[in-house]
Amino acid sequence: MKKIDILKKLRSSGLRPTKQRVEIAKFLFEREKTFHFTVESLDKLLAKKTTSKFALATIYNTIHAFKAAGHLSEVEVKGKKTYFDTNISNHHHFYDSENSELIDIEANEVVFQKLPKAPNGKKIKNVEVFINLKN
Amino acid sequence: MKKIDILKKLRSSGLRPTKQRVEIAKFLFEREKTFHFTVESLDKLLAKKTTSKFALATIYNTIHAFKAAGHLSEVEVKGKKTYFDTNISNHHHFYDSENSELIDIEANEVVFQKLPKAPNGKKIKNVEVFINLKN
DNA sequence: AATTAGTTTATAATAGTTCTAAAGTGAAAA
DNA sequence: TTTTCACTTTAGAACTATTATAAACTAATT
Ligand SMILES: [Mn+2]
Ligand SMILES: [Mn+2]
Ligand SMILES: [Zn+2]
Ligand SMILES: [Zn+2]
């Protein structure tokens, strides 16, 4: 993803391409593979990889803006920190608790032979599979 | 589960059957169906259903002791509160975000036709399925 | 250039949880 | 029984992740 696309992506989501948003967006989205992170880990990586300074609140604001715009998804992981995911497609995860690492599983890698039907009056919104790993 | 069983359960886990632990254990384990709760919800229910008073720290202590003893499991749910579960068997969940309610799915209700194999050097510890509901 | 609505920032506030250390209690020993 | 002491409860402080606040700044429009 090129710089021009980053700008388009922000603009089309109603987000002004500010210095911080562009830097964060480049860091998050100009990569081949899915990136899973917490705000804390992102903060450290940005400090290491860029010259700009980012208030923590700005990182939170920006991440939430990206999430609201559909550019990021949130993944629920054991522990109190919130994880975000640059893969916004419907997919599943391995979780390696040794190093708190999430690994993507594409949706078509999981097929069900049997699934319960939703309780009365409810419908299934989506199904998430979590595969916990050990060594 | 009778009172004598509660006492046995506590003793066999190295937990002294104090007034608070017995009351909490009776409240949690003397029931037919699985009970999912947060510390906050448990606190409110105990206040309503018992005459004793419980410091929040005692509820946390007790729940963690039960969890460490294998009498409770923890379920990861979106949001910042930790959920606990009286069902300690391997099982799955529906999650109804309308009312933040978890519903058990027994392990045999879910059968996989295809599952990815663990990454190199890793093994699968367990698989958790989360079915999010909508109306 | 002037305006203004949106953004960043430092800092305060909040929420859930864990820690602390003093007072209380259960159960083994005397 | 009474004594003893490790374990437990408790109120409140501390902690951690996150969100709110409001002043200073900036991008885009005029
Ligand atoms: Mn979590
Ligand atoms: Mn959670
Ligand atoms: Zn992912
Ligand atoms: Zn359950």
Side-chain angles (χ1 to χ4, degrees), chain B residues 34 36 73 75 85-87 91-93 102-105:
Chain B
T34 297
H36 299 104
S73 61
V75 183
D85 190 340
T86 58
N87 185 346
H91 68 288
H92 309 291
H93 292 97
L102 285 165
I103 301 168
D104 273 357
I105 300 169

Side-chain angles (χ1 to χ4, degrees), chain A residues 74 76-79 94 96-98 103 105 108-119 121-135, chain B residues 74 76-79 94 96-98 103 105 108-119 121-135:
Chain A
E74 203 175 318
E76 193 54 39
V77 177
K78 207 143 261 182
F94 286 116
D96 182 355
S97 55
E98 292 294 317
I103 302 169
I105 300 169
N108 66 349
E109 289 291 302
V110 174
V111 179
F112 292 97
Q113 191 164 104
K114 187 179 177 187
L115 256 190
K117 57 172 178 294
K122 300 284 175 182
K123 287 182 174 177
I124 291 177
K125 189 195 296 174
N126 73 316
V127 179
E128 287 181 79
V129 175
F130 231 73
I131 305 184
N132 288 103
L133 298 175
K134 59 183 175 188
N135 288 354
Chain B
E74 204 174 318
E76 193 53 39
V77 176
K78 208 144 261 180
F94 286 116
D96 182 355
S97 55
E98 292 294 316
I103 301 168
I105 300 169
N108 66 350
E109 290 292 302
V110 174
V111 179
F112 292 96
Q113 191 164 103
K114 186 178 178 188
L115 257 190
K117 56 172 179 292
K122 300 285 175 181
K123 286 182 174 175
I124 289 177
K125 188 195 297 174
N126 74 316
V127 179
E128 286 182 80
V129 176
F130 228 72
I131 304 184
N132 288 104
L133 299 175
K134 60 183 174 188
N135 287 355

